[in-house]
Structures are given as C-alpha cells and as structure tokens.
Amino acid sequence: MGNADVDLNVVYERTAKVVQRCGKIVLGAADISRRTHAKQGKGNFVTDYDAQVQSVLREGCMRILPQAAFMGEESDMDKTDVSEGYAFIVDPIDGTANFTRGLNWSAISVALACDGIPVMGIVCNPYTNEMYHAVRGAGAYCNNRKIHVSEHTLEEGIFLMGTAPYHPELARASFETAFGFFARALDLRRSGSAALDLCTVASGKAELYFEMELCPWDYAAGALIVEEAGGIISDLDGNPVTYDHSQTVLARAPKVSLR
Ligand code: LIP
C-alpha cells in the first residue's frame, strides 16, 4: 500500500493476526527465568521472548506496510524517526517484570503512527484473551465490543499508577503525586503494565492512570485507545504528549479534574 492508499482498517486486521501469533508465543513461554537478562536501569529486564516477539512483529509489520519505520523497545529509540510518514511503535511484551515472575499480566502493544501521531493501536492481553484496538476517528474496542471511559469523577473512582521503576530518581515525585490523587480517590492500583493500565481507563474500569516516565512504545497504542474511548491523554500539567521520546503520561476520564 502506498501512503496515499493506506487503509487503516486493513492494516489493523492484518496486524491483529500477527499480534495473535505473538500472544501464543507469550502463553507458550517456558523456563523464562533462564531466558531473562538484565538491562540498564533498576528492575529493567528483557527475555529471549521479548526479542522473539519483536522479531515476529517486525517481520509481520514490514510485510504489511514496508514503507513504515519501526520503533521497538528492543531496538534503539534514538535512531528511529517517527515524526514523518508511517511508523510502527512496538512493545513486544509490556509488563516484562510481570512476565518474568509469572504474574500473568502483560501485553503486546503495537501502534501505527502517521507523521508522529498514532492512527491505529492494538493492545493484546494473551492471558485474558482480550484484544483492545482503535483506529483514529473510529472508536475503541475490546474484542470488537465498543468501550468507553468512565463517567465518574476521581472522587467517585479509583486511579492506577506506574512507579517508573527504571528511574529511582522519580520515586519521590511519583509517590507524592500518587498521594495527592489518593487523597481524592477511593483507592489505587499498580498493575505493572502501562499498556493494560491505559486500556483499563479506556474500558471505564478506572478513572485515571499516570506514570512519571514512559517510553513511546509503552503508551502509543494505549493512548490512542483511551482517546478513541472518550478519554484525555496529557502530561501531569494537561499538555499534549508526543511519541518520539520518553515522558510523563496521564490518562483520565473526562469528568476527572487534574487538581
Ligand atoms: C513497563 C511498563 C510499566 C512501567 C515500567 C516499564 P516494560 O514496560 O509497562 O508500567 O512501570 O517502567 O516501562 O518495560 O515491561 O515493557
């Protein structure tokens, strides 16, 4: 497909098939601890399965849209320009620490951006057999059932947080920010997968999610799914997010005020 005739629904359907194959790899993983390696940053790991899934995703995505760039967690973000044309932004296993501990709460996250803005997103939780997806302007879905963010305020609901564990220098700010939200909300949760936290907000099961530092592959697909479900994506100050470098991400239902 040349850029002018890219049909995003066709791209979604074909990419979803590749993601489903990757879900089977995750579910079939064995002897994970022996296939786990440390990366830079506290608590940052990669497994042979991350690399295998990313390789399958790269091969599949390039077959679907050969002209697209490919930014994956296990390749170098700095060398991938997603600001012009099409680019796949991929986290092969979001929630790797959960995956290595057998906590059964991780996702395969694939976004397609056009000129730096996500236009198609897929987040697949193979453990629950849930595939969330969105095409910009066409709504958000879980297993092809439309989803919508909560109609509650934060004071009537719960929030999710990520602790940016690879960045201990952000711990105090993370928990001070969480304390402020906790004073308003009914409770909080911390799942360990940014992509699934974003889908939880998009499904109306939580009113807010934030994390002080995420890479584009953690949130590019989930952010589009939140927006297409009627939610708001920003940083902590309400500014728009970008998708070419790591940053703070906050997702919220429309009735949730930032302060
Ligand atoms: C993880 C996120 C999680 C965050 C971690 C890490 P990974 O992604 O899903 O919410 O707290 O810092 O970014 O590294 O497992 O793909």
Side-chain angles (χ1 to χ4, degrees):
M1 279 181 269
N3 282 5
D5 53 9
V6 171
D7 181 331
L8 292 173
N9 289 309
V10 170
V11 172
Y12 156 63
E13 285 159 12
R14 294 180 65 189
T15 307
K17 290 187 170 67
V18 182
V19 170
Q20 280 168 337
R21 288 208 318 269
C22 294
K24 292 185 169 60
I25 295 171
V26 170
L27 293 178
D31 203 6
I32 296 171
S33 56
R34 221 166 44 81
R35 297 180 169 143
T36 299
H37 318 286
K39 286 170 69 173
Q40 187 178 10
K42 178 187 170 200
N44 193 357
F45 300 100
V46 62
T47 72
D48 296 347
Y49 294 103
D50 292 81
Q52 182 184 354
V53 167
Q54 180 159 309
S55 171
V56 171
L57 288 171
R58 180 190 286 272
E59 193 272 334
C61 290
M62 292 300 97
R63 193 187 300 272
I64 294 164
L65 207 58
Q67 68 269 35
F70 185 92
M71 179 199 280
E73 176 167 16
E74 306 319 327
S75 51
D76 193 332
M77 173 167 58
D78 299 338
K79 297 194 180 79
T80 312
D81 178 9
V82 301
S83 60
E84 283 184 19
Y86 285 102
F88 286 100
I89 304 174
V90 166
D91 191 341
I93 300 179
D94 181 71
T96 298
N98 286 351
F99 176 63
T100 64
R101 308 296 297 265
L103 288 172
N104 292 359
W105 193 257
S106 305
I108 297 148
S109 180
V110 180
L112 178 68
C114 182
D115 297 338
I117 304 295
V119 291
M120 187 281 294
I122 298 173
V123 174
C124 171
N125 182 342
Y127 301 104
T128 61
N129 193 31
E130 289 176 316
M131 181 165 295
Y132 297 87
H133 86 274
V135 170
R136 189 168 290 278
Y141 299 84
C142 179
N143 293 352
N144 294 318
R145 288 192 314 276
K146 207 163 176 68
I147 58 176
H148 198 271
V149 291
S150 164
E151 294 300 322
H152 295 305
T153 64
L154 182 60
E155 289 69 16
E156 299 165 331
I158 64 171
F159 73 98
L160 314 174
M161 72 176 287
T163 56
Y166 311 157
H167 305 278
E169 71 281 5
L170 296 174
R172 178 172 296 279
S174 293
F175 284 95
E176 285 176 353
T177 301
F179 187 76
F181 289 137
F182 187 70
R184 295 172 54 194
L186 300 178
D187 204 348
L188 75 91
R189 301 287 187 273
R190 179 353 181 208
S191 86
S193 167
L196 291 178
D197 286 343
L198 289 163
C199 291
T200 299
V201 172
S203 309
K205 297 172 184 170
E207 280 63 39
L208 180 146
Y209 159 71
F210 84 95
E211 189 145 6
M212 298 302 281
E213 177 96 1
L214 286 174
C215 292
W217 45 74
D218 295 315
Y219 63 89
L224 174 64
I225 292 166
V226 167
E227 290 181 323
E228 285 301 311
I232 301 164
I233 294 289
S234 69
D235 65 13
L236 283 175
D237 297 318
N239 302 308
V241 302
T242 58
Y243 297 91
D244 59 357
H245 60 75
S246 59
Q247 69 159 90
T248 297
V249 176
L250 185 147
R252 61 192 164 105
K255 288 184 182 171
V256 172
S257 62
L258 284 178
R259 289 171 180 74

